[in-house]
Amino acid sequence: MDSVQNRDGVEKRAWSRRDLLRAAAAAGLAGSAGMVAQRATAAGPLRPIKLAWNANAICLSAAPVAIERGIFEKHGLKVELVNFAGATDQLLEIIATSKADAGLGMIHRWIKPLESGFDVKLVGSSHGGCSRLVGYAPAGVKELKHLKGKTIAVSDLNSPGKNFFSVLLTKAGLDPERDVNWRQFPGDMLGLAVEKGEAHAIADGDPNLLLIQRRTQGLVDLATNLSGEYAAKTCCVLGVSGALVRNDRPAAAALTRAIVEASDFISDNPAETARIFSPYSKVPESDLRAVLGTLTHRSHPVGKPLRDEIEFYARDFKLVKVLKPSTDPARFAAHVYADVLS
């Protein structure tokens, strides 16, 4: 600065152009910090949320990604991940009773227990994909039609794979209860089951099925839950307690936006996502990256599109008698979904 005198003869400092530019830059930084501080002050402390998930499931990686990348905080949330690997009805119960505020899971696994009336609302989604069906070529199973009279190995008789592929088989002209046999085996024994002739196909999810295919010769892809009319359909959904929707809708909306944002990040950064998820898995990062490449993390409907997909799946599950004959798919979808973003 230069020193000058004012008209009263008092010396003061004069701002040069360079001083003004420097001050403006500093003010900009201070202003940004001030805006952040003001936002934090206005918004108050981060809203604590308990989010239930299965820490072994790479398809639910939006949760750790949102934590690692600060996405939850960006949306005003302090999220605690609750690892839950039990039955789906137990998961929905802890959400319905607010022991957890929300949960991530597969829609093919959630639809049936939601019919029971749990106070859980589906508010968002993360991606499509997750389930695959492979045939054992040495047993003559190379296409869906070859499954007639055959046994399909699953790790869970209530698995998303069994539910979804029962629908696909029905639409292909096969009766999923009479024309095929579903048999349960431990997840790591599915490959051995087909090699020993105890099963002729496998319905499961990745990365387990990917690893089985690598060590079991003769397995060929038959279908996935992205086949045909399902190519753009979602799979993993976000459910929140009814109490959260009723009492703190902004928090439910913030959580939904955060999961969507994290899903977009995964779509653009599968390698970084594999790194973030790797502490939760014994599977090599390269295999996690391969699995992420099969998922459609840009497919995450909310609002009416999500409700429409719930109704679509409800019709499918009613077709194969997973849902009761008395269940109306449209009313069911309207009941279990909530639009928290409009």
Side-chain angles (χ1 to χ4, degrees):
M1 292 184 191
D2 298 323
S3 296
V4 297
Q5 288 186 342
N6 64 13
R7 60 185 177 185
D8 296 320
V10 178
E11 186 179 88
K12 71 174 187 175
R13 305 286 284 171
W15 289 86
S16 67
R17 182 175 182 277
R18 179 177 296 179
D19 292 329
L20 289 170
L21 291 174
R22 286 175 176 169
L29 291 174
S32 298
M35 288 175 64
V36 172
Q38 184 178 23
R39 179 180 179 277
T41 301
L46 296 177
R47 167 63 155 94
I49 291 285
K50 288 185 178 181
L51 177 63
W53 75 311
N54 184 339
N56 296 317
I58 179 66
C59 58
L60 304 183
S61 55
V65 163
I67 285 183
E68 173 90 4
R69 301 292 302 178
I71 296 173
F72 286 135
E73 288 87 347
K74 172 184 174 183
H75 290 273
L77 305 174
K78 182 179 181 181
V79 171
E80 174 190 351
L81 295 184
V82 179
N83 185 17
F84 187 90
T88 303
D89 55 352
Q90 294 174 328
L91 170 61
L92 294 179
E93 183 178 359
I94 70 169
I95 299 172
T97 56
S98 297
K99 294 176 183 175
D101 299 291
L104 288 169
M106 298 176 71
I107 192 168
H108 312 94
R109 191 184 285 276
W110 283 29
I111 281 185
K112 176 58 180 177
L114 282 173
E115 186 186 36
S116 301
F118 287 107
D119 189 20
V120 174
K121 303 297 181 184
L122 302 182
V123 295
S125 58
S126 179
H127 67 84
C130 286
S131 297
R132 293 194 297 124
L133 176 64
V134 299
Y136 191 50
V141 180
K142 300 179 182 179
E143 299 178 42
L144 283 178
K145 63 182 181 181
H146 297 155
L147 286 169
K148 187 169 184 176
K150 304 295 186 181
T151 296
I152 302 174
V154 293
S155 59
D156 178 0
L157 289 174
N158 293 311
S159 69
K162 180 180 183 295
N163 288 339
F164 175 76
F165 292 115
S166 290
V167 173
L168 214 61
L169 290 173
T170 299
K171 292 183 176 182
L174 296 176
D175 187 319
E177 297 303 322
R178 293 191 177 95
D179 291 335
V180 302
N181 178 47
W182 302 90
R183 187 172 173 187
Q184 183 172 335
F185 298 89
D188 59 353
M189 301 293 287
L190 295 173
L192 185 61
V194 295
E195 289 182 317
K196 294 175 64 176
E198 296 178 14
H200 313 100
I202 302 171
D204 201 38
D206 290 319
N208 189 51
L209 189 49
L210 173 69
L211 298 179
I212 289 171
Q213 279 186 286
R214 289 186 176 177
R215 62 177 183 257
T216 307
Q217 297 296 317
L219 292 176
V220 295
D221 291 328
L222 301 180
T224 77
N225 61 339
L226 292 174
S227 296
E229 63 183 321
Y230 299 91
K233 292 286 188 291
T234 194
C235 172
C236 287
V237 291
L238 170 67
V240 305
S241 69
L244 188 68
V245 173
R246 292 187 294 272
N247 302 330
D248 196 347
R249 198 178 190 90
L255 183 61
T256 303
R257 292 189 179 98
I259 291 298
V260 167
E261 184 174 335
S263 299
D264 286 341
F265 176 88
I266 294 169
S267 178
D268 296 336
N269 304 276
E272 175 64 6
T273 300
R275 183 197 67 77
I276 291 172
F277 186 79
S278 60
Y280 300 95
S281 175
K282 296 179 181 178
V283 178
E285 279 188 35
S286 58
D287 290 334
L288 296 176
R289 166 66 181 85
V291 172
L292 289 167
T294 68
L295 306 179
T296 56
H297 273 94
R298 288 282 175 181
S299 180
H300 38 61
V302 296
K304 185 178 183 300
L306 175 60
R307 186 188 66 185
D308 290 344
E309 290 202 17
I310 296 169
E311 180 179 342
F312 180 93
Y313 280 124
R315 294 186 186 282
D316 273 356
F317 281 27
K318 188 174 178 180
L319 177 68
V320 295
K321 302 177 182 177
V322 171
L323 295 185
K324 299 173 184 177
S326 59
T327 296
D328 178 86
R331 291 181 63 187
F332 171 82
H335 177 71
V336 304
Y337 131 100
D339 183 357
V340 296
L341 299 183
S342 63

